[in-house]
Amino acid sequence: KEQAPKEGERESKPQPKAWAPTLPGYLSFLVESKVVYDTLEEAFKDDTHPEYAAFRNTGLERSAGLAEDIEWMSSKYGLSVPVPQEDGPGKTYGAKVAALVKSDPQAFICHYYNFYFAHTAGGRMIGNKISEMLLDGHNLKFYQYEGEVQELLDDVRRRINQLAETWTPEQKAHCLEETESSFKYSGQIMQRITAEDA
């Protein structure tokens, strides 16, 4: 019969590594994120779903700012801009989102909501931390908005609620069920921040 280890004999668990963003990893994160933002922002031009038109030019768009940030980081720190790989987190998530645009509007809106809204909250806090740790306090365009962020969010939330009023209870439930998937895919992109190379 096995006995529990005595006090002092218990194996010490390895301490989790401190969160350590790197310049190449952060640049990779921006590049992979831009792939998804490009896909989302392009999706709203899809005329086969006229309901998407309400989400054009909301003020939450990030692609243009990301393009400037990627160029700035590359130039400032002498980094090569990584090319997103087909099996990388950005293209993988972008492909999923692009498929949902056509086939599953409720799931697509869930991904849109979570990707943009998470960035305005925790994403901006992470951006501030990385700015202090790696970028000498430089504030990237990715984290800058024209106007009050809360007002932009409230407006988009209102548009989503208006759209959801046209859905059946089953479609609303389906939208919510997609949340876990959206966090999984965005989490894979976040992991790039601590990569040792781009």
Side-chain angles (χ1 to χ4, degrees), residues 5-198:
K6 289 178 184 165
E7 199 58 47
E9 292 179 3
R10 189 172 291 128
E11 289 183 26
S12 61
K13 290 184 180 172
Q15 291 295 313
K17 272 175 59 178
W19 187 67
T22 66
L23 282 169
Y26 190 52
L27 180 59
S28 174
F29 162 74
L30 297 178
V31 168
E32 299 290 344
S33 295
K34 186 175 182 298
V35 173
V36 183
Y37 283 108
D38 286 348
T39 305
L40 287 162
E41 288 164 25
E42 191 61 32
F44 293 121
K45 300 173 185 171
D46 183 349
D47 291 332
T48 61
H49 286 280
E51 67 271 28
Y52 293 163
F55 302 98
R56 294 176 194 159
N57 305 315
T58 62
L60 296 182
E61 292 77 19
R62 299 291 88 198
S63 285
L66 275 167
E68 289 185 45
D69 293 335
I70 290 164
E71 187 178 333
W72 177 83
M73 269 195 78
S74 172
S75 173
K76 170 84 175 169
Y77 298 104
L79 299 168
S80 297
V81 177
V83 176
Q85 300 301 303
E86 288 301 322
D87 61 350
K91 288 216 169 184
T92 300
Y93 195 12
K96 179 175 177 66
V97 168
L100 293 176
V101 170
K102 304 280 187 193
S103 65
D104 195 339
Q106 289 77 34
F108 167 66
I109 291 295
C110 174
H111 285 271
Y112 163 73
Y113 176 87
N114 285 309
F115 204 67
Y116 280 85
F117 279 59
H119 176 65
T120 62
R124 291 170 75 208
M125 287 169 50
I126 291 168
N128 287 337
K129 188 80 176 160
I130 291 175
S131 171
E132 293 168 13
M133 293 172 76
L134 299 178
L135 308 180
D136 301 317
H138 180 79
N139 186 16
L140 296 181
K141 302 275 187 191
F142 189 27
Y143 304 101
Q144 298 176 34
Y145 293 83
E146 298 215 0
E148 285 296 318
V149 177
Q150 195 54 54
E151 289 178 13
L152 298 173
L153 293 175
D154 288 345
D155 182 52
V156 170
R157 196 177 284 115
R158 179 185 54 76
R159 297 180 198 202
I160 290 173
N161 288 337
Q162 285 177 339
L163 175 59
E165 284 172 15
T166 68
W167 296 345
T168 66
E170 292 76 19
Q171 288 173 322
K172 289 177 183 176
H174 175 58
C175 177
L176 292 174
E177 286 162 4
E178 196 70 17
T179 300
E180 187 177 340
S181 171
S182 74
F183 288 152
K184 179 187 92 168
Y185 283 98
S186 58
Q188 289 168 351
I189 293 174
M190 288 288 293
Q191 289 173 9
R192 295 302 308 155
I193 292 175
T194 56
E196 293 297 331
D197 55 36

